[in-house]
Amino acid sequence: GHGISQGGAVGANTLWDAGLTGAGSIVGVSDSGIDLNHCFFADAEGDCDPFDAFDDDCRKVVYYDTFADGTDDDGHGTHVAGTAAGSCAASCSSSDDIGNAYDARFAFMDIGLADEDFLTVPLSLDSGLLEVLRDQGAYVSTHSWGASQFVYNYESSDVDSFMHAFPDSLVLFAAGNDGDLGAETVGTPGNAKNVLTVGAAMAAGESWDAYFGQPVSSLYDVFNSDVVAYFSSRGPSTANRLKPDVLGSGFYVNSAQAGSSCSTLNLAGTSMATPMIAGIAVLVRQFFTSGRYRIPGASAGAGEDFTTPSGALLKALLIHSSQPMSAVESATDLYATESLYGYPDTIQGYGSVQADRVLPVLGDFDLFAVGSYDAGSPYYYALEATGDSVQFRFRTAAASS
């Protein structure tokens, strides 16, 4: 899924090639736990203690809130975290299955009790979870859980309230795995208005060919990355909002296996797609925070560098990067596809994220962006509800033949 979400093809790791790896960033995660002994998260020297206190000496997990406990018997959280930003410690061999933001570190909240089939979340998701992770430096956080309650409830409201109060942050939630039940199946809090809600696409054809040991992608259209997975929950959500927003590879994703020293395994779900896109969100944010963006034509050091992107801008860029899908996997015949009608729609949202369509890492276009969270920045614009407007004019070059 790395190449698909970065450059639209297997191996097209265009953001990595441009030096965007998540370095200096912290990604927030809440899930069943992380196996800190797995090579994706372990410290080679072993002198790391992130439990309930920030430890900047840790290689990967700088903060581990033991809200539920401090283990990952389930393995879900270890897999999710590995997809977002896992990377192998110096003491073990490298792996191709590292996370999208592999140089980023983690602020993590454990919400999974051992031997329980359900998660235990704080009563207040804004102050009890999201603010806790942000306080550790996680301005992008990813959450691969939710309830099959297809209504806008207090948890949805908590998440929206957080993003309104902290415009420097972006929160991602999984859409859910109830797509086989039809429309209006995006669960809470993935149905919140301000979050980036992520559905699941099929893995690339090359991955399916390797999985089956034969060229199934050329025999069945379903085994390709431009097809929506059958289980991916569908909108619309409350108030007829378009959900999900975007898709990421989610059927299957190879990532860290809890309880092993360095093994990986394949899992499927919107839980797997969401951290894939969260890793991309970290890289998009790094593009700005590292000083790479300025108004096209402006010189470096002219006071026009844009280093304070808002969560809303990150969300908008990811949505605008997305590519339309060709079909959706049939829920009754997993070797068949069904048609999609219109774009965007409530099955695919805006489609599959391809970040190099909005970040000029290939040097093939200029990007004009506004949306700073800093009111003192020239890139900050506030539109009031009183009818004020801001006019932008664009000059574009004629397309080459």
Side-chain angles (χ1 to χ4, degrees):
H2 305 138
I4 299 296
S5 55
Q6 293 184 40
V10 172
N13 300 319
T14 52
L15 272 61
W16 291 352
D17 293 342
L20 297 171
T21 62
S25 305
I26 294 175
V27 57
V29 182
S30 65
D31 213 295
S32 60
I34 294 181
D35 181 356
L36 296 182
N37 293 317
H38 190 281
C39 68
F40 275 24
F41 313 101
D43 278 70
E45 303 301 325
D47 53 353
C48 170
D49 183 12
F51 292 105
D52 300 315
F54 189 93
D55 187 345
D56 197 37
D57 291 331
C58 297
R59 182 187 71 90
K60 287 305 289 186
V61 183
V62 295
Y63 178 78
Y64 192 119
D65 191 314
T66 58
F67 178 80
D69 58 24
T71 65
D72 189 20
D73 293 346
D74 179 84
H76 187 273
T78 297
H79 194 279
V80 163
T83 301
S87 64
C88 204
S91 60
C92 63
S93 59
S94 62
S95 169
D96 292 332
D97 300 305
I98 55 179
N100 251 335
Y102 62 84
D103 275 336
R105 298 191 290 175
F106 292 97
F108 187 86
M109 181 174 287
D110 190 321
I111 56 174
L113 287 168
D115 302 322
E116 294 286 356
D117 294 330
F118 55 86
L119 297 174
T120 301
V121 301
L123 290 177
S124 172
L125 294 187
D126 47 0
S127 61
L129 169 60
L130 299 174
E131 287 186 39
V132 172
L133 297 178
R134 179 186 174 277
D135 286 346
Q136 311 306 318
Y139 297 103
V140 173
S141 67
T142 183
H143 311 276
S144 291
W145 51 269
S148 295
Q149 299 173 5
F150 313 126
V151 295
Y152 188 95
N153 65 6
Y154 75 93
E155 291 185 331
S156 310
S157 178
D158 279 353
V159 177
D160 277 339
S161 295
F162 169 81
M163 286 197 61
H164 177 74
F166 298 98
D168 55 4
S169 299
L170 176 63
V171 178
L172 295 86
F173 267 94
N177 301 322
D178 294 309
D180 57 327
L181 300 180
E184 300 181 359
T185 52
V186 175
T188 180
N191 58 11
K193 174 175 69 74
N194 295 332
V195 304
L196 186 73
T197 307
V198 183
M202 301 291 283
E206 294 92 328
S207 298
W208 288 108
D209 294 346
Y211 180 82
F212 284 104
Q214 55 181 310
V216 294
S217 62
S218 61
L219 300 175
Y220 302 97
D221 290 341
V222 68
F223 296 114
N224 285 284
S225 61
D226 63 349
V227 176
V228 185
Y230 79 91
F231 55 76
S232 186
S233 285
R234 306 177 183 186
S237 67
T238 305
N240 205 36
R241 296 190 187 103
L242 179 69
K243 290 287 180 176
D245 295 304
V246 297
L247 304 175
S249 296
F251 190 10
Y252 287 94
V253 173
N254 197 42
S255 187
Q257 180 178 9
S260 71
S261 62
C262 208
S263 297
T264 59
L265 80 162
N266 285 315
L267 292 178
T270 59
S271 284
M272 286 63 250
T274 306
M276 183 75 67
I277 303 307
I280 292 295
V282 170
L283 303 187
V284 174
R285 187 174 188 276
Q286 183 190 4
F287 177 81
F288 290 92
T289 60
S290 61
R292 298 191 183 207
Y293 178 76
R294 61 186 63 91
I295 292 175
S299 59
E304 295 181 339
D305 292 358
F306 182 2
T307 60
T308 54
S310 66
L313 175 59
L314 300 183
K315 178 180 178 180
L317 286 168
L318 291 168
I319 286 174
H320 281 281
S321 80
S322 299
Q323 293 289 282
M325 309 297 278
S326 67
V328 57
E329 181 184 18
S330 171
T332 57
D333 181 357
L334 300 187
Y335 284 82
T337 61
E338 298 173 359
S339 298
L340 294 167
Y341 299 95
Y343 174 83
D345 63 42
T346 56
I347 297 177
Q348 64 177 310
Y350 287 88
S352 179
V353 167
Q354 183 185 330
D356 70 1
R357 296 189 67 249
V358 292
L359 295 187
V361 293
L362 300 177
D364 53 346
F365 62 88
D366 287 329
L367 171 66
F368 179 83
V370 295
S372 172
Y373 64 78
D374 178 5
S377 168
Y379 298 93
Y380 177 88
Y381 289 89
L383 300 181
E384 304 295 336
T386 56
D388 293 348
S389 64
V390 175
Q391 183 180 59
F392 297 102
R393 293 184 178 179
F394 300 90
R395 178 181 298 162
T396 59
S400 58
S401 59

